Amino acid sequence: MKKFIGLLFIPVLALFSFFGCSKDKSAENIKTQYTSTIRKYYDDDIEKNIFFADDTNENTVKIYYPSSIQARIDITNPTNNMQKMYRGLYYQQVVLDKIYKYYEMTQEDFYTKMSSKGSDKSIGELSTQLERLDRVLDEFKVSYNNFLDNQEMEFNVTSYSFALNKVIDVSFDFIYNYIRLYEKNCRSTTGVYTSDTLQIDLYKSYVDVAFIVYKENIKAFTYSVGENGICDLSPVVKSSSTFNILDKLLGSCTLSLDIANGLNNADNAETLDKVNNYYYFKSVFEQRLVNYKQIYAEQDIYTITRYRFNLVNGVDYDNYLNSLSISQRSNVTMLDDFVANNFNDYYNKISAIVA
Amino acid sequence: MKFWVKIVVALCVVVVIVFGVWAFFFREKDVVKAYNQTTQLVDYKESLGLKERLVELSKMDYLHNEKTRKIVGNNAVNNEILNIRKDCLSSELIVGYDEHDVVIYSYDSYFIVDKTVDDIIRFYLPYTRGTYSSNTHQKNLSNTIKVYIESLSSLDKTIDNLIACQKEITGEDTAEMDALRGHYNQLYLKYRNVLNKSSQVMIALTDYINVSLYGGKMMADSRIALYDCYARALKVATSKDEIRKEVETLYLHDLHMIWDKMDKVRNGIDIYDSTYTEYKFLTGFNALFCEYRKSYDLIFDKVNLDKRQMADGEKLSDIVEKAKEPVIVLLNVLGF
């Protein structure tokens, strides 16, 4: 009987070993996986990334059609709906740019330090997220190809934009996990500010800025559900609504020379004051963000956004808020308050230290 | 024991165990308890319609439903009634002057303070869903909410009685006016009590949020810091055992100073300068709030003159050494 029970344990042990080991990924594996995944952003035929940024002119969106036709759309001052839609695409691309900028700037340090630690289970999750990103990029490429096949530019941009949102969602999951690992394993704990660490934290801040702008101004607009959904970004692009924070995406990512030099001079109280303020409000923002995410997930953000941007005839935002119960109203007000105060305070403190 | 009795007993035991297990798994979790109770409080207060009736009462400056029978200050009783009406119901800032027409104090009526309290409690409401364990703070919050609700209920009845009395009497009899004065005195005491209990709710809320949401390491922003100062100043202004009007007035004056800073922050006006920066104020506030609570409470207990001297770095002997600098910064930012 004992032998029989002992025999039963062998396959169980084997299963444990198999699943346990398979999750151990080395940093080198992740690096390779990332490179092959990110390669999907590129179109081999044109040797360009599949987004529509124009390398030569940032004010235009450039589309390469398979028939070697190139289309350029000026998005500087969008006046018609099509230009506004493409301006929306441009903002989505900026969001992705902010996300991957952090990765690009830290990857070398990350892989060097993580490799020296050997295989680590904690980075297994990164691998899973990259697998998800890989799948979403495959889906996205279908939208991309459909977009190019069907040359009705205005008609097709909505589904393309919606597919791009899925890529952005998965990219945020990936980058926030990556940031958590990077800060846990690769950051010095001396607490002394240097221009290098400050610059990396700034990249993190721009991921945060992109996250809030995406949640508030992009995601809800490009969410499409039948006739009731908000189909494209044209209502928010160039709108004068106080809820429009798209311009926050276009900020610089570079630490100003004054602040960088000031850090080396211990007597420079003004620099330290600005840097301390930045770090303090970064902490406040990160604390409140947890609550924002929780409430955001519980609210019907698509309905809220429609009222915020006056897309519902006859009912303005204040009337909409008054129609809610007090507790619901408090929750929605908290979302607005988070952006108007915590996010804005954070952004203002960033602005004080960048060039 | 008969067989069927044993069966019944066994079944009862099973039912009790199943019920116990069910109650354990489906009990109201601590995480939502504070949120639910605060929501109930907000909804309850709204359902009472206090604000509407107080506005109605503020417009009712006459007797017996006759607008021509105005209450005029021609005797001590009427003056007392009018003063209480001003202190409780006025929608404008109440200002006091000395003999040279120099402003010596200014404060908000209870009605305005109450509106500010509502704003603050509604601001805190979405933050009451923390996940850290905080049983003590949760119980404290529950108790303060319960007591606050009782005080609101009592005020509600007082307003009903007062309005009924004022509508009924003609004012032609001294006894009638004495009775009305009694009702107004009740309004004053009950409203004062409501504000005192509300301050305890606000303090309990910040303590609960600090522990349950931020694990005891809350980083305050300017609004939270000022709201907490406001709650503590209100508690002191309304909790002196022996109510002496002139003392309360001065504490309410200090309360209005904090309100003024809150209003500026809400409207994006900078309240800091190069000496007393936002960073110094907030880090100082965090230190007082988390580590030097006794010193922090002590500030608001002091009268206005003492606060001003403390802001100048004097009379700090009661303050812990490490808390002295934060106290000075805090008082200066608050305007003392």
Side-chain angles (χ1 to χ4, degrees):
Chain A
M1 186 64 183
K2 280 179 187 170
K3 281 180 186 171
F4 179 70
I5 293 169
L7 280 173
L8 271 179
F9 272 104
I10 294 172
V12 175
L13 275 174
L15 282 172
F16 272 123
S17 314
F18 178 76
F19 286 112
C21 291
S22 69
K23 283 188 178 172
D24 273 7
K25 292 264 183 183
S26 70
E28 204 53 44
N29 292 147
I30 300 290
K31 191 177 180 181
T32 314
Q33 195 184 353
Y34 177 85
T35 312
S36 68
T37 301
I38 221 71
R39 185 68 205 164
K40 294 197 173 179
Y41 279 108
Y42 286 83
D43 187 327
D44 292 331
D45 293 340
I46 54 171
E47 271 305 310
K48 296 270 179 199
N49 73 45
I50 58 179
F51 304 123
F52 302 131
D54 186 347
D55 296 342
T56 54
N57 186 352
E58 64 176 25
N59 296 327
T60 60
V61 163
K62 190 174 174 183
I63 302 164
Y64 300 89
Y65 287 100
S67 51
S68 303
I69 298 169
Q70 292 178 13
R72 272 204 178 89
I73 299 154
D74 191 335
I75 50 165
T76 327
N77 288 304
T79 48
N80 59 44
N81 260 3
M82 195 176 80
Q83 284 177 344
K84 285 179 186 172
M85 284 178 181
Y86 279 87
R87 181 75 178 173
L89 279 189
Y90 170 76
Y91 284 120
Q92 284 175 290
Q93 290 169 190
V94 178
V95 168
L96 280 167
D97 186 57
K98 301 281 185 204
I99 292 174
Y100 289 104
K101 190 98 178 170
Y102 184 94
Y103 178 86
E104 285 163 21
M105 301 315 291
T106 52
Q107 57 168 328
E108 201 177 319
D109 188 28
F110 179 76
Y111 289 120
T112 308
K113 285 179 178 152
M114 293 305 278
S115 296
S116 66
K117 288 181 177 235
S119 131
D120 189 338
K121 275 188 181 170
S122 67
I123 60 170
E125 208 179 323
L126 267 189
S127 170
T128 312
Q129 281 163 334
L130 281 173
E131 282 164 16
R132 272 186 66 207
L133 182 60
D134 195 78
R135 283 197 300 274
V136 172
L137 275 172
D138 281 335
E139 288 171 28
F140 173 67
K141 266 207 153 173
V142 174
S143 295
Y144 171 72
N145 290 331
N146 286 342
F147 181 84
L148 295 186
D149 289 343
N150 184 337
Q151 296 190 10
E152 285 179 54
M153 298 167 78
E154 190 171 346
F155 175 75
N156 246 9
V157 75
T158 300
S159 62
Y160 174 87
S161 177
F162 183 47
L164 193 51
N165 267 0
K166 285 189 182 172
V167 176
I168 295 174
D169 280 331
V170 179
S171 298
F172 271 123
D173 288 344
F174 165 74
I175 201 66
Y176 274 120
N177 194 29
Y178 173 82
I179 290 170
R180 187 180 58 79
L181 286 174
Y182 180 78
E183 290 184 345
K184 184 181 155 199
N185 296 294
C186 310
R187 288 296 297 267
S188 148
T189 51
T190 56
V192 178
Y193 306 139
T194 66
S195 51
D196 284 346
T197 55
L198 191 49
Q199 184 61 57
I200 288 170
D201 286 337
L202 264 178
Y203 288 127
K204 156 73 170 58
S205 295
Y206 281 103
V207 175
D208 292 333
V209 170
F211 180 74
I212 296 303
V213 177
Y214 172 67
K215 287 280 185 191
E216 291 285 317
N217 282 181
I218 296 177
K219 189 172 166 63
F221 273 93
T222 49
Y223 181 87
S224 179
V225 214
E227 289 179 3
N228 298 321
I230 305 169
C231 292
D232 60 65
L233 267 170
S234 47
V236 68
V237 173
K238 298 298 276 181
S239 92
S240 57
S241 163
T242 50
F243 297 106
N244 185 352
I245 52 169
L246 283 175
D247 65 319
K248 299 276 193 288
L249 269 181
L250 308 177
S252 164
C253 278
T254 315
L255 187 64
S256 82
L257 208 56
D258 283 353
I259 296 288
N261 291 337
L263 282 175
N264 299 325
N265 175 4
D267 297 330
N268 198 333
E270 202 184 329
T271 297
L272 280 180
D273 190 49
K274 283 179 183 169
V275 172
N276 281 331
N277 259 308
Y278 162 70
Y279 275 107
Y280 188 90
F281 281 89
K282 186 170 176 286
S283 306
V284 173
F285 172 85
E286 282 166 358
Q287 277 197 344
R288 306 291 184 274
L289 183 63
V290 177
N291 210 36
Y292 169 84
K293 280 181 180 172
Q294 184 190 18
I295 288 171
Y296 186 95
E298 288 171 12
Q299 300 301 314
D300 181 359
I301 199 71
Y302 308 108
T303 304
I304 295 170
T305 306
R306 288 167 67 83
Y307 285 104
R308 273 177 182 164
F309 283 89
N310 290 321
L311 298 178
V312 182
N313 287 337
V315 186
D316 66 16
Y317 189 60
D318 286 340
N319 285 335
Y320 164 68
L321 285 182
N322 286 332
S323 72
L324 300 174
S325 72
I326 292 174
S327 46
Q328 277 178 318
R329 201 186 312 157
S330 299
N331 284 340
V332 178
T333 311
M334 186 268 158
L335 294 177
D336 295 344
D337 176 78
F338 172 82
V339 176
N341 291 296
N342 296 122
F343 173 72
N344 258 342
D345 278 347
Y346 183 33
Y347 190 85
N348 290 340
K349 273 36 178 199
I350 295 169
S351 305
I353 58 168
V354 295
Chain B
M1 206 185 286
K2 284 186 177 172
F3 178 71
W4 64 269
V5 177
K6 286 181 182 171
I7 293 286
V8 170
V9 170
L11 276 174
C12 287
V13 171
V14 169
V15 167
V16 168
I17 291 171
V18 168
F19 180 76
V21 170
W22 177 84
F24 179 79
F25 283 107
F26 291 93
R27 74 191 192 281
E28 191 183 27
K29 288 177 185 158
D30 286 349
V31 176
V32 293
K33 218 180 248 179
Y35 178 75
N36 288 347
Q37 285 173 336
T38 314
T39 304
Q40 279 161 15
L41 164 67
V42 168
D43 289 342
Y44 174 74
K45 192 170 180 187
E46 185 79 359
S47 72
L48 285 178
L50 287 178
K51 230 173 253 171
E52 292 76 10
R53 278 183 300 145
L54 287 165
V55 169
E56 182 198 339
L57 185 60
S58 72
K59 290 175 186 163
M60 233 174 83
D61 57 349
Y62 48 85
L63 304 169
H64 205 60
N65 264 348
E66 289 177 34
K67 292 190 177 176
T68 50
R69 281 181 191 249
K70 287 216 182 281
I71 305 169
V72 286
N74 52 5
N75 58 49
V77 174
N78 283 14
N79 278 337
E80 195 176 331
I81 290 173
L82 289 174
N83 278 336
I84 293 175
R85 281 179 60 84
K86 186 174 69 178
D87 284 345
C88 289
L89 308 170
S90 176
S91 56
E92 286 167 11
L93 191 66
I94 301 159
V95 185
Y97 302 90
D98 66 6
E99 62 273 21
H100 306 294
D101 284 343
V102 175
V103 175
I104 47 172
Y105 59 77
S106 53
Y107 60 90
D108 295 308
S109 69
Y110 285 176
F111 182 72
I112 299 293
V113 174
D114 194 26
K115 268 168 71 171
T116 308
V117 167
D118 285 349
D119 288 345
I120 295 175
I121 293 178
R122 285 174 196 183
F123 171 83
Y124 283 138
L125 177 63
Y127 292 95
T128 51
R129 294 190 281 192
T131 50
Y132 289 102
S133 171
S134 57
N135 209 15
T136 316
H137 294 93
Q138 203 281 317
K139 278 183 183 159
N140 184 37
L141 179 62
S142 291
N143 289 337
T144 54
I145 287 177
K146 196 174 150 219
V147 175
Y148 183 38
I149 284 176
E150 283 166 8
S151 72
L152 285 168
S153 167
S154 180
L155 175 66
D156 181 52
K157 287 181 191 123
T158 305
I159 295 170
D160 281 346
N161 294 338
L162 169 58
I163 291 178
C165 173
Q166 195 165 323
K167 280 183 177 170
E168 205 171 290
I169 63 173
T170 58
E172 288 160 3
D173 186 346
T174 318
E176 279 185 341
M177 290 311 283
D178 265 340
L180 186 63
R181 176 175 60 175
H183 282 295
Y184 269 104
N185 269 318
Q186 277 301 304
L187 173 74
Y188 177 74
L189 291 173
K190 300 285 182 186
Y191 211 171
R192 189 174 190 275
N193 188 45
V194 159
L195 294 181
N196 183 260
K197 302 308 171 203
S198 74
S199 71
Q200 291 175 31
V201 170
M202 290 188 287
I203 292 168
L205 274 168
T206 38
D207 282 340
Y208 177 78
I209 292 165
N210 175 39
V211 174
S212 75
L213 192 60
Y214 301 121
K217 293 173 184 166
M218 180 173 74
M219 305 281 281
D221 54 29
S222 294
R223 284 166 311 152
I224 287 184
L226 291 170
Y227 287 171
D228 197 59
C229 290
Y230 189 85
R232 279 159 211 280
L234 178 62
K235 187 181 169 194
V236 172
T238 53
S239 67
K240 295 287 166 195
D241 290 337
E242 188 189 340
I243 304 165
R244 285 190 295 137
K245 185 67 201 143
E246 63 276 21
V247 176
E248 193 196 330
T249 300
L250 294 175
Y251 279 111
L252 286 174
H253 170 75
D254 292 354
L255 187 71
H256 178 73
M257 284 177 73
I258 302 171
W259 181 89
D260 185 54
K261 300 293 172 186
M262 281 161 45
D263 194 48
K264 283 196 168 88
V265 167
R266 260 198 297 252
N267 291 309
I269 300 168
D270 198 1
I271 59 168
Y272 306 101
D273 58 34
S274 55
T275 314
Y276 302 109
T277 62
E278 189 173 19
Y279 178 70
K280 271 188 190 168
F281 171 69
L282 294 176
T283 48
F285 172 83
N286 286 348
L288 292 169
F289 183 81
C290 296
E291 292 172 58
Y292 308 111
R293 191 60 75 88
K294 276 186 184 169
S295 297
Y296 179 41
D297 281 334
L298 206 66
I299 303 170
F300 301 101
D301 217 24
K302 303 278 182 189
V303 293
N304 182 281
L305 181 64
D306 287 350
K307 285 194 195 104
R308 276 190 275 156
Q309 286 177 324
M310 287 165 83
D312 290 338
E314 297 161 15
K315 282 204 170 182
L316 291 167
S317 54
D318 298 343
I319 306 291
V320 181
E321 192 57 37
K322 283 187 177 173
K324 283 181 180 169
E325 180 65 22
V327 165
I328 293 170
V329 175
L330 186 125
L331 283 169
N332 276 285
V333 171
L334 293 182
F336 290 99

